[in-house]
Amino acid sequence: MDYSSCSQLLVLAILVLFTLAQNIINAASNGVFNVIDFGAMADGIRDNSKAFENAWREACNWNTYSTVLVPPGKYFVTSAVFKGPCKAPISFQLQGLILAPPGLSKLADKESWITFESLRSFTLTGGGTFHGQGRTAWPENQCHKNSNCQLPISIRFNKLNDSTITGVQSVDSKFFHINILGCYNLKLNKINISAPDDSPNTDGIHIGRSNGIEISNSIIATGDDCVSLGDGSQNVLVSDVSCGPGHGISVGSLGKYKKEEDVVGLTVINCTFTGTSNGVRIKTWPDSEDGKASNFTFEDLFMNNVENPIVIDQEYCPHNQCNIKVPSRVKISNVRFRNIRGTSLTKEAVRIVCSKEIPCQNVEIGDINLVYNGIDDKGPAISSCSNVKPTLVGKQIPATCV
């Protein structure tokens, strides 16, 4: 290559860098940081992790309200961490689609894909999609054999305070879709989560050690729990959520690990369950560590061909990974099931199995109307109860704990 050609390439490179820098300066003038201006390519092929994180870094250091903008298009991202604290309130506006690496071999982080962390007054919005490409990884999932398996959660919200997640979608996660940990006053609204009913361990929204979480006006269709509460969850509200397919809305499982924190305060209201393997469920391990789970209200719920609409199971022992002969030591108390109606695919529509060592306390069941709709047998739905003396209010179909 001759001298003149080198000079032309050098000039071109300088012009490109100058244009990029000018775009960033222009964006900064109005507080909008477009990932395209930081080198992102919406081709679904090239890795945009650095461009996304660079845009975030500039926005996070902005002295007034700022926005990271991901415009329409398909953006491949191996992994990204959007971390605070930031100098001012910040939003992440996802209008396009963020695409995860296929399979498991190319993952930059074996436990996380997209993480938002240590933020206050944060907003995630825009109507866009996080696509986990789970179909390429589910055949490699060995969690049913190995309880210490490591698979990437699609979206982690860690230590967010006074923040809002609204109008985004998560599709085909490799593991959990959304994990909420150490958050306070976090609102999720109009969230759309989807994965096939046979996709393993694709919990919709899992909550742990967080207080004041609200999930509303959302559609969750997945292969595991639509919403699940782990230890340390407090004051959680789930309202106007459509769940199904999936495993329902669950507290637990609790008691498997040492030093688990108590779960206190859950309201599930005005939700619909369609074709789920469970409706609302509280589950603890036998031979468990000590713990408490209390103050739960399940009210105004519709079950559409749900296999197990109402469940308290203190003998939860998947894959026989426990000693079921030793009672659970998790104390369950102050639980209300009210105005739950619809159809059950199993004859046993209500199943309340409490601990022999610490029976459930203050359980109220009121205005239940669950009709058996299975094809293998005739007759009305039934209930089964052990180690509990519930307060019965209003109508009971089936007759409960008689």
Side-chain angles (χ1 to χ4, degrees):
M1 184 177 295
D2 58 25
Y3 177 79
S4 61
S5 297
C6 290
S7 299
Q8 290 174 355
L9 288 175
L10 180 60
V11 170
L12 181 61
I14 292 173
L15 286 174
V16 170
L17 291 173
F18 177 80
T19 302
L20 185 60
Q22 191 62 47
N23 288 339
I24 293 173
I25 292 170
N26 291 338
S29 65
N30 59 13
V32 177
F33 296 81
N34 190 325
V35 295
I36 298 293
D37 295 333
F38 290 81
M41 297 286 188
D43 58 9
I45 299 174
R46 280 169 285 193
D47 184 12
N48 293 290
S49 301
K50 288 185 178 180
F52 275 50
E53 289 181 341
N54 288 339
W56 175 269
R57 190 177 300 110
E58 292 295 324
C60 190
N61 286 322
W62 193 243
N63 287 320
T64 58
Y65 184 89
S66 62
T67 297
V68 174
L69 174 63
V70 182
K74 186 183 293 185
Y75 302 86
F76 177 65
V77 173
T78 54
S79 71
V81 177
F82 305 109
K83 190 173 183 178
C86 296
K87 291 184 177 180
I90 186 171
S91 71
F92 191 98
Q93 189 170 109
L94 175 60
Q95 298 176 354
L97 181 147
I98 301 179
L99 191 66
L104 298 176
S105 61
K106 297 180 180 180
L107 297 173
D109 187 329
K110 299 298 182 183
E111 297 184 354
S112 308
W113 176 38
I114 303 295
T115 301
F116 296 91
E117 184 171 328
S118 300
L119 299 167
R120 182 181 295 275
S121 301
F122 165 70
T123 301
L124 170 60
T125 186
T129 301
F130 297 91
H131 200 301
Q133 296 215 76
R135 293 173 192 271
T136 64
W138 299 328
E140 302 178 55
N141 185 319
Q142 297 294 314
C143 292
H144 62 289
K145 297 179 181 179
N146 177 16
S147 59
N148 295 317
C149 62
Q150 290 186 343
L151 292 170
I153 291 170
S154 273
I155 310 164
R156 287 185 184 269
F157 298 125
N158 298 338
K159 301 177 184 178
L160 304 189
N161 290 342
D162 304 321
S163 297
T164 301
I165 316 300
T166 184
V168 292
Q169 302 179 71
S170 176
V171 176
D172 288 357
S173 60
K174 292 180 174 68
F175 198 50
F176 293 6
H177 285 265
I178 293 173
N179 191 80
I180 297 170
L181 180 65
C183 295
Y184 177 78
N185 190 24
L186 176 64
K187 294 178 172 59
L188 296 90
N189 183 47
K190 296 182 180 178
I191 307 300
N192 193 323
I193 293 173
S194 62
D197 60 357
D198 61 351
S199 56
N201 306 111
T202 53
D203 292 54
I205 301 173
H206 180 73
I207 304 166
R209 304 199 176 192
S210 297
N211 193 332
I213 309 302
E214 297 183 11
I215 303 168
S216 61
N217 303 304
S218 297
I219 299 172
I220 305 175
T222 188
D224 212 296
D225 292 331
C226 292
V227 178
S228 59
L229 273 66
D231 77 292
S233 300
Q234 298 183 45
N235 303 314
V236 176
L237 172 63
V238 180
S239 63
D240 299 287
V241 167
S242 172
C243 170
H247 294 182
I249 295 178
S250 297
V251 177
S253 56
L254 303 176
K256 186 176 182 180
Y257 303 104
K258 295 181 181 295
K259 298 182 180 180
E260 288 188 0
E261 298 180 7
D262 297 343
V263 178
V264 181
L266 165 67
T267 298
V268 179
I269 189 168
N270 198 31
C271 295
T272 299
F273 300 77
T274 301
T276 53
S277 58
N278 301 281
V280 289
R281 177 172 57 157
I282 304 170
K283 50 184 178 177
T284 74
W285 288 78
D287 194 16
S288 70
E289 300 294 324
D290 294 340
K292 295 179 181 178
S294 62
N295 299 352
F296 306 135
T297 296
F298 305 99
E299 187 170 6
D300 295 336
L301 308 178
F302 181 73
M303 305 288 171
N304 180 18
N305 288 341
V306 171
E307 291 185 21
N308 302 285
I310 297 174
V311 177
I312 295 179
D313 183 5
Q314 294 207 260
E315 296 179 351
Y316 178 76
C317 187
H319 314 300
N320 296 316
Q321 296 176 350
C322 63
N323 184 357
I324 200 169
K325 295 181 180 180
V326 180
S328 175
R329 292 190 296 276
V330 177
K331 179 181 179 180
I332 295 177
S333 62
N334 302 328
V335 183
R336 296 185 294 181
F337 300 99
R338 292 180 172 178
N339 191 27
I340 300 176
R341 63 204 185 281
T343 53
S344 173
L345 282 183
T346 54
K347 198 171 181 68
E348 190 178 65
V350 179
R351 183 172 185 265
I352 301 179
V353 178
C354 296
S355 170
K356 296 178 182 178
E357 184 173 322
I358 310 175
C360 298
Q361 296 182 354
N362 299 327
V363 176
E364 178 186 305
I365 303 175
D367 292 315
I368 306 299
N369 188 352
L370 294 168
V371 177
Y372 175 52
N373 195 34
I375 60 175
D376 58 341
D377 197 3
K378 295 182 179 180
I382 62 173
S383 69
S384 67
C385 302
S386 60
N387 306 307
V388 62
K389 295 181 180 179
T391 299
L392 304 179
V393 179
K395 184 188 297 183
Q396 302 295 327
I397 301 176
T400 303
C401 300
V402 177

